[in-house]
Amino acid sequence: MIVLLGVSACAFLPARVRRAAPARVYMDYMNPTAGARSKGQILTASPEGAKQDFLEASPYWDQSAVPVNTWKNKSPYTAKIVSCKRIVGPEATGETCHIIFDHKGEMPYWEGQSYGVLPPGTNPKNGKPHTVRLYSIASSRYGDDMTGKTSSLCVRRATYWDPEMGKDDPAKKGVCSNYLCDGKPGDDCKMTGPSGKVMLMPEENPSTDYIMVATGTGIAPYRGFIRRLFTETTPAGETYKGTAWLFLGVANSDALLYDEEWQAVLDKYPNNFKLDYALSREQTNSKGGKMYIQDKVEEYADDIFKRLENGAVMYFCGLKGMMPGIQEMLKDVCAKKSLDYDEFIAKLKKAGQWRVEVY
């Protein structure tokens, strides 16, 4: 049974003439009361009477035992692909897939961590096996099916358009992203990790605001955060009283990722979840130019600065090219507020309120 959540933001954006292109494949969202479920389905809520509390620390916010590098390059874990689906529309700039893996509970992780993927084959330049590629995990520690035995990645297929050839040059395509996006149910996938602690959620204070800024597939760790706080019945979610504020920057409405999920959370928790999109090819900023992620964040500068002063944690994840624009915008805002930018950011970093993972 497929349940489409909420109302897509696309419904509120201008319609466009569409060219022939692969359509968005809607994910297998499933209401847990609908009956039997498979590992490839994504639960929209906890099954009745069930809680996601069996993979928690004691107390749940204690990060002293976060799993790190359980599986290494020389001895990777072999997971199996459960499903691989394109999750963007025909007008999206490129193809992005949501891939679910079965790890049988043998590769535990926390929200905000990354997995390494070892694509098969050898590098034609040196004849050696391909090196590991890191991907932020796009599910909570309980997985999309809430069993604690699956995990998900959000991957954009990397291609190179050769203008002379008039088509994509297969010799220059991203080895690992294409391997993953071409994955079929039952395929083996060698993985390492989990790794990283920078993007973890500090959960000791249930009133902490989380400000999450992403471009494209940088949305991945935040999906884990949001499912943990609002979709699942977890100790963190049951006590949460703060605001989780998501900013996502993509080219257009067809490139929005997981919009159905965000709309459902927004509908159910309007006082604890905020959502803002920056669509560079469909929106304009206050100066009449394209709306990039820094422009959208700037619209709420006063609110964001106030929340940071009150202990909010601000995250940035996505392409590293997003950061110069963000930094310039924040410098301008600091100047208007008579704040020293370097001192302001240094203070946030020291307090663990400034967390960046870009690539």
Side-chain angles (χ1 to χ4, degrees), residues 93-147:
T93 51
E95 179 180 15
T96 300
C97 295
H98 181 80
I99 308 163
I100 300 177
F101 301 85
D102 181 4
H103 60 74
K104 300 180 180 179
E106 297 171 347
M107 201 174 187
Y109 57 92
W110 281 30
E111 300 77 15
Q113 290 191 291
S114 299
Y115 274 160
V117 175
L118 287 163
T122 57
N123 186 332
K125 294 182 179 179
N126 56 25
K128 296 181 179 179
H130 288 299
T131 55
V132 68
R133 271 73 161 181
L134 293 178
Y135 293 91
S136 296
I137 300 172
S139 51
S140 82
R141 70 190 72 179
Y142 295 100
D144 288 344
D145 63 351
M146 301 188 192
T147 64

Side-chain angles (χ1 to χ4, degrees), residues 37 53 77 84 123 266 287 306-307:
R37 63 183 188 270
D53 59 3
Y77 182 78
C84 176
N123 186 332
L266 190 61
K287 299 175 183 177
K306 183 177 180 180
R307 291 175 188 271

Side-chain angles (χ1 to χ4, degrees), residues 165-176:
M165 294 173 61
K167 61 180 181 179
D168 288 335
D169 184 349
K172 297 180 180 179
K173 68 180 182 180
V175 172
C176 197

Side-chain angles (χ1 to χ4, degrees), residues 271-300:
N271 296 324
N272 299 97
F273 182 63
K274 295 170 71 70
L275 174 66
D276 281 281
Y277 291 141
L279 307 178
S280 61
R281 298 189 182 182
E282 296 181 4
Q283 299 172 331
T284 55
N285 59 28
S286 60
K287 299 175 183 177
K290 291 184 177 181
M291 176 70 79
Y292 291 111
I293 191 69
Q294 63 267 24
D295 302 312
K296 181 57 66 174
V297 173
E298 186 177 18
E299 290 182 2
Y300 302 95

Side-chain angles (χ1 to χ4, degrees), residues 51-353:
K51 290 189 176 184
Q52 286 65 57
D53 59 3
F54 51 90
L55 295 176
E56 302 294 323
S58 181
Y60 70 87
W61 43 260
D62 182 4
Q63 297 183 356
S64 61
V66 174
V68 176
N69 295 326
T70 307
W71 299 89
K72 300 176 175 59
N73 291 9
K74 292 183 178 180
S75 56
Y77 182 78
T78 301
K80 283 195 177 292
I81 293 178
V82 174
S83 66
C84 176
K85 295 192 174 183
R86 175 189 172 101
I87 57 171
V88 291
E91 291 292 330
T93 51
E95 179 180 15
T96 300
C97 295
H98 181 80
I99 308 163
I100 300 177
F101 301 85
D102 181 4
H103 60 74
K104 300 180 180 179
E106 297 171 347
M107 201 174 187
Y109 57 92
W110 281 30
E111 300 77 15
Q113 290 191 291
S114 299
Y115 274 160
V117 175
L118 287 163
T122 57
N123 186 332
K125 294 182 179 179
N126 56 25
K128 296 181 179 179
H130 288 299
T131 55
V132 68
R133 271 73 161 181
L134 293 178
Y135 293 91
S136 296
I137 300 172
S139 51
S140 82
R141 70 190 72 179
Y142 295 100
D144 288 344
D145 63 351
M146 301 188 192
T147 64
K149 297 180 180 180
T150 66
S151 56
S152 302
L153 297 181
C154 179
V155 179
R156 175 170 173 168
R157 186 189 295 273
T159 59
Y160 173 76
W161 178 265
D162 189 315
E164 293 184 1
M165 294 173 61
K167 61 180 181 179
D168 288 335
D169 184 349
K172 297 180 180 179
K173 68 180 182 180
V175 172
C176 197
S177 66
N178 280 268
Y179 160 65
L180 289 170
C181 291
D182 288 337
K184 301 291 187 297
D187 286 356
D188 288 341
C189 182
K190 292 184 177 180
M191 308 181 82
T192 66
S195 62
K197 292 185 177 181
V198 172
M199 298 294 282
L200 297 177
M201 283 195 297
E203 298 177 333
E204 185 171 0
N205 181 354
S207 297
T208 298
D209 289 343
Y210 303 114
I211 303 170
M212 305 163 284
V213 182
T215 55
T217 56
I219 196 74
Y222 309 143
R223 182 173 182 268
F225 293 2
I226 293 167
R227 286 184 66 83
R228 177 169 174 78
L229 293 175
F230 301 114
T231 306
E232 301 166 345
T233 305
T234 64
E238 289 184 312
T239 59
Y240 190 61
K241 300 179 179 65
T243 297
W245 193 347
L246 176 63
F247 290 88
L248 173 60
V250 292
N252 55 36
S253 55
D254 268 19
L256 288 172
L257 300 171
Y258 308 111
D259 178 62
E260 296 88 351
E261 298 187 29
W262 314 144
Q263 299 299 333
V265 173
L266 190 61
D267 182 61
K268 191 172 182 180
Y269 298 97
N271 296 324
N272 299 97
F273 182 63
K274 295 170 71 70
L275 174 66
D276 281 281
Y277 291 141
L279 307 178
S280 61
R281 298 189 182 182
E282 296 181 4
Q283 299 172 331
T284 55
N285 59 28
S286 60
K287 299 175 183 177
K290 291 184 177 181
M291 176 70 79
Y292 291 111
I293 191 69
Q294 63 267 24
D295 302 312
K296 181 57 66 174
V297 173
E298 186 177 18
E299 290 182 2
Y300 302 95
D302 289 339
D303 192 352
I304 289 172
F305 269 67
K306 183 177 180 180
R307 291 175 188 271
L308 289 171
E309 290 170 354
N310 291 330
V313 181
M314 193 164 189
Y315 298 86
F316 300 90
C317 189
L319 294 174
K320 61 183 179 181
M322 71 186 282
M323 291 310 295
I326 289 284
Q327 291 166 328
E328 286 303 314
M329 179 275 293
L330 291 175
K331 286 179 182 179
D332 291 342
V333 175
C334 281
K336 293 175 184 177
K337 294 180 175 293
S338 299
L339 295 172
D340 182 283
Y341 171 79
D342 293 327
E343 291 181 1
F344 178 71
I345 299 300
K347 181 180 177 182
L348 292 178
K349 289 180 178 179
K350 185 176 181 180
Q353 293 176 253

Side-chain angles (χ1 to χ4, degrees), residues 4-20:
L4 300 184
L5 298 180
V7 178
S8 170
C10 301
F12 304 102
L13 296 167
R16 301 172 310 285
V17 176
R18 298 182 183 275
R19 67 175 184 275

